[in-house]
Amino acid sequence: MRTAGIVAEYNPFHKGHKFHIEETRRKTGADCIAVVMSGNFVQRGEPAMFNKWLRAEAAVTGGADIVIELPTVYSCSGAEAFARGAVEILDRLGEVEVISFGAEEDSADLLEEAAEIFAGESTELSECIKQNLSEGYSYAAARSRAVEKICGRRISEVISSPNNILAVEYIKQLKLMNSSIKPLAVARKGSGYYEENPGEGFAGAGRLRDMLKEGYDTEEILKYIPEETHELYRDAHMCFSEDMYSLVAYKLLSESREALAKTDGVVEGLENRALKALPYSVDMESLIQGIKSKRYSRTSIQRMLVRILLGIKSVDMKNFGDCQTSYARVLAFNETGAKFIRQAKNKDNPGIKIITNVNREKPEDPVLRRMMEYDIMASEIYDLICFSRININPDYKMKPYRHEIGK
């Protein structure tokens, strides 16, 4: 069975995502589209607008064949760890031949060139990045300036957009893992992430979240979200970054400075900036504004605060990286996805554990069990943020959604 992989958040799933799945299937001739999707917390350092089970259901309703959860410790990480965690799963499944991603252009040549540079980062490039960091630039800006100086403006421009940054990281990870998976760039269509006036029937996820939050009428929303997907969203509870302020504030108040400093992503005394900003904050926005600086962007601060909330420790992230493996937690599938699961499970030497029930199929490796504990806890915290109670959609009770094609 020819399989193409996609890494996504689907926050929320919209017509642009449906187009990407259809184009991937058309360009590759894939029988199966396997999606690795962020769980209840996403890469921007926010709770997902809708929970992972609903988003996975929307994905298979919209054309994907199987949706696998990207472990929480990677889903709310920076681009490098996010890409590494997702590519690791797709590579170890052993069935995936292509990884398809959205990019600002459909030619992978420049993306490949940029990935080659970062995969074999030279001493000169590393030193230039360090110099820029010492001058107060954020890591993204420091790397972009270094690349422009050493490799030229053309490559620097490639890594200037969020989609291209992730695309380059996917290709880079494929190279570092010596994976047989081939990259496929699908050109984005329509509007930017937060563009005010979406066109061509496509709107960015950020703008769509704003539209749903602001209560736009159904007719307007249906221009950008598939009708079957909108039915799922209609009565679903929505969750937003500001909803987690009280829990984040409590965590900052209750943890010692030493404990905060051991959180992954808390570097260079950022715990002190957070504690200093906390008494003057009244919501997530004011807290973030009080911490961020030229060196640390809004998104990096949001990710840090989520990782503080979830208690993700630096030592655990090191152990996860050293482990060099993962697990594949299935969230949703259709008939084709069921066949994919059977084939993957029936291999003589499976490269990764397929999990459809966390009670019966927890990983045996203690490091991977620790990784899954973060997923289970993240779901409980997500429910607490959304509903002020736990056990709404607990991981140990929920079963993967099975979509019957044609229904």
Side-chain angles (χ1 to χ4, degrees), residues 40-41 47-51 237-240 243-244 247 379-390 392-393:
N40 284 328
F41 291 88
M49 186 175 203
F50 300 108
N51 75 66
H237 190 94
M238 291 185 285
C239 193
F240 302 99
D243 297 332
M244 65 181 186
L247 290 179
S379 290
E380 298 287 20
I381 292 176
Y382 183 87
D383 284 349
L384 192 58
I385 292 170
C386 292
F387 304 102
S388 298
R389 55 166 290 196
I390 60 173
I392 305 297
N393 295 293

Side-chain angles (χ1 to χ4, degrees), residues 282-403:
V282 295
D283 53 21
M284 283 300 295
E285 179 62 27
S286 56
L287 179 59
I288 292 166
Q289 290 296 329
I291 303 171
K292 78 180 187 71
S293 65
K294 180 181 177 182
R295 177 72 175 269
Y296 296 102
S297 68
R298 176 195 183 85
T299 302
S300 65
I301 296 303
Q302 288 180 171
R303 277 197 295 266
M304 180 192 76
L305 292 173
V306 162
R307 297 173 85 75
I308 287 173
L309 174 62
L310 300 178
I312 300 174
K313 301 302 181 186
S314 299
V315 64
D316 283 335
M317 291 304 294
K318 181 181 184 306
N319 290 337
F320 300 150
D322 292 344
C323 188
Q324 295 185 342
T325 187
S326 192
Y327 48 83
R329 170 81 185 284
V330 179
L331 298 178
F333 62 95
N334 59 21
E335 184 178 339
T336 301
K339 182 179 179 182
F340 178 94
I341 293 170
R342 288 194 297 273
Q343 287 185 356
K345 282 191 170 185
N346 290 335
K347 284 184 176 181
D348 292 333
N349 295 299
I352 193 169
K353 187 176 183 66
I354 308 291
I355 297 173
T356 55
N357 185 314
V358 297
N359 295 299
R360 298 197 305 262
E361 301 170 322
K362 282 190 174 73
E364 296 177 4
D365 187 308
V367 175
L368 293 184
R369 286 177 72 93
R370 174 65 174 157
M371 189 186 293
M372 179 167 281
E373 286 171 2
Y374 279 118
D375 296 338
I376 294 171
M377 180 179 62
S379 290
E380 298 287 20
I381 292 176
Y382 183 87
D383 284 349
L384 192 58
I385 292 170
C386 292
F387 304 102
S388 298
R389 55 166 290 196
I390 60 173
N391 281 329
I392 305 297
N393 295 293
D395 279 19
Y396 49 83
K397 290 183 181 178
M398 295 294 291
K399 296 179 180 179
Y401 169 76
R402 180 160 187 163
H403 178 66

Side-chain angles (χ1 to χ4, degrees), residues 6-10 14 16-17 20 43-44 79 82-83 100-107 111 114 143 157-171 184-194 203-206:
I6 291 174
V7 183
E9 293 190 319
Y10 296 153
H14 55 67
H17 296 135
H20 179 217
Q43 208 244 340
R44 288 178 57 82
F82 180 93
S100 172
F101 43 79
E104 304 307 322
E105 52 198 61
D106 58 7
S107 171
L111 300 175
R143 187 172 74 162
E157 289 176 347
V158 167
I159 62 168
S160 65
S161 74
N163 284 288
N164 281 353
I165 288 171
L166 277 172
V168 168
E169 283 296 339
Y170 297 143
I171 301 171
L184 171 68
V186 175
R188 279 174 51 85
K189 294 191 68 174
S191 307
Y193 197 72
Y194 277 105

